Amino acid sequence: MSDYLARTLAAYGQGVHTYESATKDMVPDAELDTFVALLPDPAGPVLDAGCAFGRDTSLLAARGLAVTGIDLSEPLLGRARELHPALDFRSMDVCALDFADGGFAGVWCQATLLHLKDEHVRTALGEFHRVLRPGGALFVSFKEGQGEEGIVESFSADAARFFRYQTADRVRDMLEAAGFADPDVRVVNELERYGPGHRDLNWVSAYARKRPVAARHKADPAPMVELGGHGHR
Ligand SMILES: C[S@@+](CC[C@H](N)C(=O)[O-])C[C@H]1O[C@@H](n2cnc3c(N)ncnc32)[C@H](O)[C@@H]1O
């Protein structure tokens, strides 16, 4: 694991309850509804990638979806299991998913890839694309801006977390490069979205789908059929 990621995870580990109290009321209902409407199967399954203490994992389950939450922070996963003992939480890196190709109807990834450098964001998007079935839906969100830095916020128990900021254009380009079709990229202000007490900063949120398998055109020639044995009759 990279040093920068290990430091970010250590910050989360020291501040599980601080992070939970600061973000438990930031319920992304509108975004979850948009994401769920894009799913090719209303039952899922879906992956909550970077689930932390399981807020969105439980909201996805409450919408009737089979859901698995993954994270690399053991203390946050412990809290998720404590809060939601019936749900499936696993320790896993978004850059190395231990899931078969094409098994998920959707991947929900709220405010997680913002902790990764671009090369790792691209790897994670490639992994999301791989585990989605054709037509499967993706949601990702990042903090808007340029460059990267390690910053200390009260959210993380006064320890530095690494952030890579993204613009809407960069997010669109990375999604298309990973194979996603027509990403719908939006910029949302946190203060306007969640109200007083929240930060005046912008988020870049994107919805995208893995291309469905192309339907064969009627004029296409019939596929070659292996007859085996005596091909000429
Ligand atoms: C800002 S929190 C967002 C948590 C949650 N999705 C939410 O919206 O409240 C980022 C989360 O990503 C997790 N994380 C960071 N890098 C990760 C990685 N490479 N693989 C899995 N989880 C990661 C952190 O442990 C943390 O729980």
Side-chain angles (χ1 to χ4, degrees):
M1 181 190 301
S2 317
D3 285 354
Y4 80 89
L5 180 55
R7 282 194 292 274
T8 298
L9 294 172
Y12 278 112
Q14 288 166 35
V16 169
H17 291 286
T18 320
Y19 181 73
E20 181 185 336
S21 12
T23 62
K24 67 175 187 300
D25 296 327
M26 291 172 73
V27 172
D29 271 329
E31 291 82 357
L32 284 163
D33 288 345
T34 304
F35 169 72
V36 170
L38 285 175
L39 295 172
D41 185 335
V46 296
L47 179 66
D48 182 6
C51 62
F53 57 92
R55 182 198 63 220
D56 298 350
T57 325
S58 68
L59 294 167
L60 289 160
R63 283 166 165 76
L65 290 154
V67 57
T68 297
I70 63 162
D71 205 286
L72 271 181
S73 166
E74 292 299 337
L76 279 168
L77 283 170
R79 182 64 181 142
R81 292 185 184 112
E82 195 173 84
L83 289 168
H84 311 289
L87 299 183
D88 179 22
F89 293 104
R90 304 188 200 178
S91 178
M92 205 180 292
D93 188 343
V94 294
C95 294
L97 297 180
D98 189 13
F99 296 113
D101 297 0
F104 286 99
V107 175
W108 172 264
C109 184
Q110 162 93 311
T112 293
L113 302 187
L114 79 192
H115 288 314
L116 303 185
K117 290 182 182 261
D118 280 353
E119 65 188 284
H120 297 137
V121 173
R122 289 195 190 92
T123 303
L125 292 177
E127 281 291 83
F128 296 162
H129 190 268
R130 178 182 68 75
V131 301
L132 280 171
R133 68 179 65 160
L138 173 70
F139 172 83
V140 281
S141 67
F142 301 84
K143 281 184 181 171
E144 188 188 45
Q146 303 276 357
E148 56 188 47
E149 61 178 348
I151 57 162
V152 174
E153 290 183 300
S154 55
F155 272 38
S156 48
D158 299 326
R161 295 178 298 166
F162 172 88
F163 285 88
R164 171 61 165 119
Y165 302 102
Q166 302 289 353
T167 63
D169 285 346
R170 289 177 60 85
V171 170
R172 190 176 295 107
D173 288 349
M174 286 195 284
L175 285 168
E176 285 174 350
F180 290 96
D182 303 324
D184 172 0
V185 184
R186 307 174 185 187
V187 176
V188 180
N189 181 271
E190 182 179 306
L191 182 59
E192 285 170 20
R193 174 73 181 78
Y194 292 107
H198 289 281
R199 300 164 297 182
D200 185 11
L201 62 83
N202 286 343
W203 290 85
V204 179
S205 299
Y207 305 86
R209 296 180 86 167
K210 180 168 176 169
R211 288 175 202 285
V213 173
R216 201 164 56 82
H217 192 273
K218 279 195 183 130
D220 286 352
M224 297 289 286
V225 177
E226 279 291 333
L227 294 172
H230 310 286
H232 300 286
R233 293 170 185 230

